[in-house]
Amino acid sequence: MAGKGRGETVEVGGHRLQLTNLDKVLYPDTGTTKADVLGYYAAVAEWMLPHVEGRPATRKRWVNGVDGEVFFEKNLPDSAPDWVARHTIEHKDHANVYPMVNDVATLTWLAQVAALEVHVPQWRFGPKGAQRNPDRLVLDLDPGQGVGLAECVAVAHLLRPVVEGMGLELMPVTSGSKGVHLYARLDGKQSSGQVGEVAHELARAMEADHPDLVLSTMGKADRRGKVLLDWSQNNGNKTTVAPYSLRGRTRPTVAMPRTWRELASKTLAQLEYTEVLSRLKRRGDPLADVSAHVPVPSGELGEDFRNTEAPDHDPTSTTRDRLEVYRSKRDASKTAEPVPADAPASTDGTSFVIQEHHASSLHWDFRLEHDGVLVSWALPKGEPDDPGTNHLAVQTEDHPLEYGTFEGTIAKGEYGAGEVTIWDSGEYDLEKWREGKEVIVVLHGEQRGTRRVALIHTGHGGGRAASNWLIHRMKDDSDGGHGAGGNGAGGRGAKSSVGNSSRTTRPAGGSPDGSGRASSARDRKQELPAPDPVAPMLATTGDAHDVSEGDWAFEMKWDGIRAVAIVHDGAVTLTSRNGNDLTPAYPELQVLAERVESEGGAVLDGEIVAVDEKGRPDFGLLQTRMGLTRSRDVARAATGAPVKLLLFDVLRAEGRSLVEDEYDDRREVLERIVEIGGPIDVPPAFEGDLEAAVTTSKHLRLEGVVAKRRDATYSAGRRSRAWIKMKHHQTQEVVIAGWRPGAGRRAGGVGSLLMGVPGDDGLHYVGRVGTGFTDRELDELLPSLRATERKTSPLVGVPAVDARDAHWVTPSRVGEVSIAEWTSTGRLRQPSWRGWRPDKSPDDVVREG
């Protein structure tokens, strides 16, 4: 095994692996390095492999350590060694290639790429990649706020005799996170659906018998003081973190199988990897009987997949038929589409076609000839017509070359039923084709002319996200650069931004590049009285459990300040969520009056964001614009901090209130009355599921995702669970109640700010923050703090050590910090200053998470 040097080549199980960056720290709190992780997985392999072998493995990677970004992977990357066993799973609109962790070499490769967590389903692959029935049942005990391991153990002891009465033996695993998993071995005679039904009924029964302790429904609003009995991981499409897998938390904890005697211990805690091996050597694997090793018949693992890009690939061996998925979705006797019977031969043609497809929803199919097939993407919003616009492109199954001339009707009841017409076709010049990652071509269209486009994969992701790409219209020579290194997708232009990735150009006359409007607001006389302002609706912090039931739309979460825009009589008034007038600070947003077509004006809801040179939201940059009112100061700040108004709702338009209308109806009005362009944008609701939306949000380096119920009305001025916000990184708004003097370089100035969050009995002390500032910012802050000084503390529960030299101030200003987590004592762990929130008042502050 590797030592802790910079890197070395090792042989594991007959395979050579290059191990690099062995001294990289993956767990900063404990100093645990990649070499430590590699050593752990090599040592634990003999116990871990029986629990994961033959199962599709989903991975969570932290390439820069657990303090950095996490990458969720289902598809096997192109860089994977060709000897890694794999199978393809065909989904309705895409296929994923999953690796299987069948040997120590594969486990070592996963550790090398910092795949700290391995997640697997409760079933294994069968012959030729078929899905077998599940061989184990799993119940996930997930504690809510105010409860922990002790309550999970209590539920486990209540479950044990019930499950044993069903003829099954439960075995516990402390999850390495917050809760407990319970496994039972099955005989493989029931389907995933049948096992899931039994588990669901078991969970409902436990909730009925113990309503004060157990929840069985993930969508329930209040989980405080209760344990969620998550039965859904028995679904064939769901996965659970594998036994003995590390967890990507602040410390290197492990999903550790335990005995029932251990579970009864008053000192029970989640275990770290350093505690695992000694226990295993002393008493073996408590979970061994649940996943007892059954040899997989020769030929079942990986036989149906050939990595044709491997250096030693034998061209005479069987390769996959690239039209297999296409044919599986069509009945040649019922559809007018071409359905060739034979596998396609390789070609070097460069034809392309874009077809307008009036199916269940209008979209455009973009197809490029490549190696004997038409590689295809569905474009829900069509092809973008300018470099400032990116559109979603969802990769679909490969199509036969004959499809390039197809026009006609796909019969009702058949896959893709509807009318297909050719919107553009011709030849293309290929500039770049990186399989599964990036394609750049120059299209020479017979109907639409020549233009240069790029397709960029948003990241492997999981579920539907694995098929998500962006299509980007690249600048040509006349726009200032034809090369990929200019504004093209292959260079900096490939990086998505608020200015291009989120904008929607709505086709006119049904064409993807239509544009033009009948008139603008300034050309129409508005004779109705000005609309009254409306207090904005507020979102509730939540997670995937909160949106597991019902029909939801997903929007990107923007890192800015909330603004209600009142458009009336050729002018725009902007107010913050707490009623402050923002209008003087953002004069460039007056252009909105020219972009709204609504008799009698409109009231719109949105977010003001400052964008950096790459077009991404930058909250720190927005700070330079906040609070400015003098026109000279505003003009000076605007040159370095341009802003956009991102509109996502409409509260009044066309002479009537829309707050009682449902979300989808309001969105239709918003997109119809607002013309986007310049600093005005209407980012679209994400066309995909939550997992895909989160993946895209992380790829675009945004703050998170907001889920909105499609059937919900607008709850003006209220915080509602019809809107659920999910952030990638935890933040907390705080009320500033004092400051402590600095030392060293900060001597004579502010060292840290004392923070509070409102509670039932006053403003609760939650800690102090001294990082995230520059010394200059703290120096400039001192006069305003001294101007609001008071003699007594406005906080509840300040420790004497923090109050000793504190200067107290009137708690009237709100700031925002990023945090690692809340501690059990109600303090903020590792707070870092993000900036002031002049759009918030102390009464608006609530504890997040």
Side-chain angles (χ1 to χ4, degrees), residues 546-617:
D546 298 303
V547 297
S548 60
E549 296 180 354
D551 190 10
W552 298 80
F554 302 102
E555 300 178 6
M556 299 294 106
K557 189 176 190 310
W558 309 103
D559 201 3
I561 58 172
R562 191 74 171 276
V564 174
I566 302 173
V567 181
H568 178 71
D569 201 19
V572 177
T573 302
L574 300 168
T575 58
S576 69
R577 53 172 279 184
N578 58 356
N580 292 334
D581 186 7
L582 304 174
T583 310
Y586 308 102
E588 62 265 58
L589 299 183
Q590 288 296 313
V591 71
L592 177 64
E594 304 175 11
R595 301 290 176 83
V596 172
E597 290 190 31
S598 173
E599 201 69 35
V603 180
L604 307 166
D605 191 0
E607 191 93 349
I608 298 174
V609 301
V611 292
D612 61 19
E613 67 275 8
K614 296 180 181 178
R616 295 195 181 97

Side-chain angles (χ1 to χ4, degrees), residues 58 72-74 96 98 237-238 460-466 468 544 547 554 686 688-698 705 728:
T58 298
F72 191 79
E73 288 190 338
K74 290 188 176 181
N96 284 337
Y98 288 85
N237 297 320
K238 296 292 187 69
H460 287 295
R464 295 181 182 177
N468 285 349
V547 297
F554 302 102
F686 190 84
D689 57 12
L690 173 60
E691 185 176 328
V694 170
T695 299
T696 298
S697 177
K698 289 180 178 179
V705 171
H728 304 317

Side-chain angles (χ1 to χ4, degrees), residues 40-41 44-53 107 118 242-245:
Y40 166 73
Y41 274 126
V44 83
E46 66 176 289
W47 292 282
M48 181 177 179
L49 289 176
H51 300 296
V52 295
E53 184 181 30
L107 197 55
V118 178
Y244 299 109
S245 171

Side-chain angles (χ1 to χ4, degrees), residues 667-687:
R667 286 287 307 193
E668 187 277 328
V669 173
L670 177 67
E671 295 185 4
R672 172 160 45 82
I673 69 171
V674 178
E675 179 186 20
I676 64 174
I680 308 301
D681 205 349
V682 181
F686 190 84
E687 300 189 14

Side-chain angles (χ1 to χ4, degrees), residues 826-837:
R827 300 288 188 267
L828 299 178
R829 183 169 175 268
Q830 298 177 1
S832 179
W833 184 253
R834 297 193 75 235
W836 291 105
R837 297 304 307 244

Side-chain angles (χ1 to χ4, degrees), residues 92-94 322 325-327 329-330 367 374-377 395-399 415:
K92 182 177 179 180
D93 56 357
H94 69 283
R322 294 186 65 175
V325 177
Y326 173 89
R327 276 191 293 271
K329 296 181 177 183
R330 292 162 177 84
R367 313 190 195 281
L374 291 173
V375 180
S376 300
W377 294 263
Q395 189 165 16
T396 61
E397 73 273 18
D398 294 337
H399 281 53
Y415 178 78

Side-chain angles (χ1 to χ4, degrees), residues 156-180:
H157 282 293
L158 292 172
L159 276 165
R160 188 181 185 187
V162 177
V163 176
E164 286 181 349
M166 299 163 56
L168 301 175
E169 182 182 0
L170 277 182
M171 289 302 297
V173 173
T174 46
S175 69
S177 178
K178 296 183 295 182
V180 172

